[in-house]
Amino acid sequence: MTRSAHDPAAFEIMKNALYKIAEEMRVVLAKTAYSPILKSAGDYSCGVFDRHGAMVAQGPDLPIHLGSMPDAVRAVVQTFGDDIHDGDVFIHNDPYCGGSHLPDVNVVRPAWSDDGRLLGFSCLRAHWPDVGSATPGSYGAVTEIYGEGLRLPPVRLISRGTLNRDVHAIILANVRTPDEREGDLGAQLAATLRACDRLKALASRYGTDTLIETMAEVMDYSERLMRTMLADLPDGVGTFADFLDGDGIPDDVDGGDAPIWIRMRVEKKGDRIVADFDGTDPQTAGPINAPLSVTASGVYCGLKTAIDPDNLIPPNSGCWRAIEVKAPVGCLLNAQFPSPVVYANHEISHRLADMVMGALSAFMPGQVMACSQGTSAILTLGGIDPRTGGRYVSYETIKGGFGARPNKDGINVIASGISNTMNTPVEVLEMAFPVRVLEYAINPDSGGAGRYRGGCGARRSWLLLENADATGALCMERMTSAPFGLLGGKPGTAAVVTLTTPDGATRGLPSKGAFKAPAGSRIDMITPGSGGFGDPSERDPAAVKADLVEGYVTVGGIRRDYGIDPDGA
């Protein structure tokens, strides 16, 4: 059956089919992956791309990958050009070739029609819990990307259906848990193969030319919707400045980590919007530097959330044609090789998505939300599992508060902003790794007060089992800069992380870097709450009392933040 790409019914069917292909990739990966961070928490993204590497469709995955996945596929196209064949598969994780950070590994597979024409690509970016380096989990505070683990430029993993065993062996020789990595890689291969089979079937049904034309039209459709929505919103200019806690590298003799400033200017005019980061601090010694594609991901996420709160615009490369992201070469947000980058992928993206809201509040106050937790709150643990005698690496991202909005409260203890990961069930975690989770609870009074309250953060505690010494690493922002409120809303609470060793000694852990945790140690984490929206004096007293009943606030917090005495009401 062949129909014109201009047939509205055929276009709608193929558009939805392309997005369902990306969704089906996600299902295949979840059903076949080995590591809990993939099969339970869902730290991966799936996409369908055209022949040039532009994203046509993305699954309901992680917004953090919106801006950089097309660059990752384009890197394969640019590297191999016409030397791409049916049965090939490519792999890479280089942040300076469109990757995000080294643990995010891209598997890119070309899709071919029955008559041997290139239709496009499927790409699955998955976070591997370990890619080498000196620290289990690959999250140490280093000063060059060379120390962050195995860096793969775009390379051919499979050639015309035959595995390149040399590349495969190099990968597995450089990770701490090779069996698990091999399983995760196999899941990525299966998911991308399923996507390419589906694309081939679409081409067989509608015709190769029609499918290729429709893929272009899907992106044009998103562009038209984005420009239409922008044109309906008020023009204006907004600025915002905020600071990061540091980069994990001490800046003074006492081990202090100096703050790092980001400065943003957003200008919206007609159907275009520009985010400019002139005045942002230079790239740093530690791994909080962001390549420009990572910066773009954070900006795109914040802008799409504000411009399209009902999620009517299909996310793809067409959306971003109306958006320009500018950052001086060599600054924190346009870092140059070989700057280390592992923290920046999520921490910078979180920060920029929140800062976009702060800047837009100057002229679009009804379209924005207060600052969310502003960090992925990463804790890695690694060592020898005494139950098996083998190595293990645990990687968790802990949830916090979701920011308050113009018409409703924030959400408690949920992945927010650029993230869309799930909780790893405690039972799965404890079966897989030599740890016990002693507490996972809502932290009351952590959401910022406001007409609408910010979402609460969490309290989380881990106990290392007997004979299970571990090397840990932490990557946590918002420990010194609390998540901000908007339009009179109060900030949420900042994060705190402590380590208590078996001898009873307790010390605070820095926001970033590795640490030793002897068997029997306890790690306690308080994740950030989120900012409130609007003046707290305007909050409905009934909502305050309901929060008390639910355990989201305490009597003392109500008196302090709202001036209400619940005992006397």
Side-chain angles (χ1 to χ4, degrees):
M1 180 185 301
T2 301
R3 293 181 182 171
S4 168
H6 300 293
D7 177 345
F11 169 76
E12 194 67 20
I13 291 169
M14 283 189 280
K15 173 174 70 70
N16 291 332
L18 290 166
Y19 278 90
K20 288 301 180 182
I21 288 171
E23 289 186 32
E24 189 176 5
M25 290 173 67
R26 181 178 180 85
V27 174
V28 173
L29 194 284
K31 295 291 186 181
T32 56
Y34 279 39
S35 58
I37 190 64
L38 296 183
K39 66 184 179 184
S40 297
D43 193 350
Y44 55 90
S45 289
C46 309
V48 175
F49 299 78
D50 73 5
R51 295 175 297 172
H52 310 291
M55 179 186 283
V56 178
Q58 183 183 5
D61 302 318
L62 277 61
I64 189 174
H65 295 148
L66 283 173
S68 56
M69 281 184 73
D71 289 340
V73 179
R74 277 193 287 265
V76 170
V77 175
Q78 292 167 0
T79 300
F80 291 93
D82 294 333
D83 188 20
I84 296 175
H85 310 283
D86 195 0
D88 287 355
V89 180
F90 305 91
I91 187 170
H92 82 91
N93 66 346
D94 192 338
Y96 294 101
C97 287
S100 46
H101 60 179
L102 297 186
D104 279 349
V105 178
N106 305 283
V107 170
V108 181
R109 185 189 292 267
W112 298 84
S113 66
D114 287 327
D115 57 355
R117 294 173 62 188
L118 179 63
L119 300 170
F121 298 86
S122 63
C123 176
L124 199 154
R125 173 176 292 179
H127 185 106
W128 289 10
D130 184 84
V131 288
S133 86
T135 305
S138 313
Y139 258 72
V142 300
T143 57
E144 290 184 312
I145 197 170
Y146 304 112
E148 294 192 306
L150 177 66
R151 180 166 63 94
L152 292 167
V155 295
R156 204 187 313 261
L157 178 65
I158 298 176
S159 178
R160 302 179 191 263
T162 300
L163 177 68
N164 186 330
R165 297 190 180 278
D166 295 336
V167 171
H168 188 256
I170 289 170
I171 293 170
L172 297 184
N174 281 277
V175 297
R176 288 177 172 82
T177 49
D179 290 345
E180 188 179 75
R181 297 292 69 70
E182 186 170 24
D184 288 343
L185 176 57
Q188 289 176 265
L189 292 171
T192 53
L193 178 60
R194 176 67 60 85
C196 290
D197 287 344
R198 296 295 193 224
L199 283 171
K200 178 182 286 191
L202 272 181
S204 296
R205 181 178 183 185
Y206 292 100
T208 298
D209 288 333
T210 299
L211 177 58
I212 291 172
E213 291 171 12
T214 301
M215 292 168 80
E217 176 58 21
V218 167
M219 291 184 284
D220 292 343
Y221 173 76
S222 290
E223 180 185 3
R224 289 194 300 272
L225 285 178
M226 176 63 81
R227 290 188 184 277
T228 299
M229 289 189 177
L230 277 172
D232 287 342
L233 292 169
D235 290 345
V237 176
T239 61
F240 204 84
D242 202 359
F243 67 91
L244 301 166
D245 294 348
D247 64 353
I249 304 299
D251 290 290
D252 58 41
V253 294
D254 297 321
D257 199 353
I260 305 160
W261 281 91
I262 299 175
R263 294 173 177 86
M264 167 188 277
R265 180 182 186 273
V266 174
E267 181 175 4
K268 185 265 173 182
K269 186 175 182 180
D271 65 355
R272 285 191 56 78
I273 193 162
V274 178
D276 192 334
F277 294 96
D278 189 35
T280 293
D281 282 355
Q283 59 193 44
T284 67
I288 198 70
N289 303 291
L292 191 59
S293 59
V294 169
T295 296
S297 285
V299 173
Y300 293 160
C301 175
L303 287 176
K304 189 173 188 301
T305 303
I307 296 164
D308 181 28
D310 296 321
N311 196 28
L312 299 176
I313 308 174
N316 58 44
S317 292
C319 293
W320 320 131
R321 295 171 187 164
I323 299 168
E324 182 179 2
V325 180
K326 300 163 62 176
V329 174
C331 81
L332 180 77
L333 304 180
N334 191 0
Q336 303 300 295
F337 178 84
S339 293
V341 300
V342 68
Y343 303 152
N345 176 44
H346 38 78
E347 302 306 287
I348 289 293
S349 294
H350 265 296
R351 185 59 54 98
L352 297 183
D354 288 327
M355 288 181 65
V356 163
M357 299 294 180
L360 292 180
S361 67
F363 59 98
M364 294 185 194
Q367 301 289 125
V368 298
M369 59 187 285
C371 183
S372 294
Q373 72 181 88
T375 180
S376 286
I378 304 297
L379 175 69
T380 68
L381 295 168
I384 303 297
D385 189 337
R387 301 170 301 179
T388 64
R391 289 188 177 274
Y392 78 93
V393 177
S394 168
Y395 177 101
E396 286 190 84
T397 170
I398 313 303
K399 317 313 178 191
F402 188 90
R405 292 153 285 178
N407 58 352
K408 62 181 69 175
D409 291 341
I411 307 173
N412 303 319
V413 191
I414 189 173
S416 59
I418 53 83
S419 182
N420 192 29
T421 57
M422 298 170 285
N423 280 289
T424 300
V426 169
E427 296 84 355
V428 170
L429 188 77
E430 293 181 343
M431 285 191 297
F433 311 117
V435 299
R436 291 290 178 268
V437 177
L438 304 179
E439 180 184 30
Y440 195 18
I442 291 174
N443 186 33
D445 293 333
S446 57
R451 182 170 69 250
Y452 295 103
R453 173 188 50 76
C456 294
R459 298 195 307 266
R460 174 95 165 189
S461 298
W462 298 259
L463 179 69
L464 300 184
L465 298 186
E466 183 179 357
N467 299 320
D469 294 342
T471 298
L474 187 67
C475 180
M476 172 82 95
E477 269 293 324
R478 296 295 184 192
M479 293 183 78
T480 60
S481 57
F484 55 82
L486 282 181
L487 302 175
K490 301 301 181 183
T493 58
V496 179
V497 186
T498 60
L499 173 69
T500 302
T501 48
D503 60 5
T506 298
R507 64 182 177 91
L509 291 175
S511 69
K512 301 172 189 72
F515 60 90
K516 295 293 185 180
S521 295
R522 172 175 172 147
I523 301 167
D524 294 288
M525 176 185 290
I526 295 175
T527 62
S530 63
F533 194 101
D535 191 331
S537 67
E538 298 174 0
R539 185 162 179 77
D540 183 349
V544 176
K545 292 178 183 179
D547 285 344
L548 180 62
V549 172
E550 297 290 347
Y552 304 155
V553 297
T554 65
V555 170
I558 291 173
R559 290 172 178 155
R560 180 191 67 234
D561 296 331
Y562 296 101
I564 299 173
D565 187 352
D567 295 330

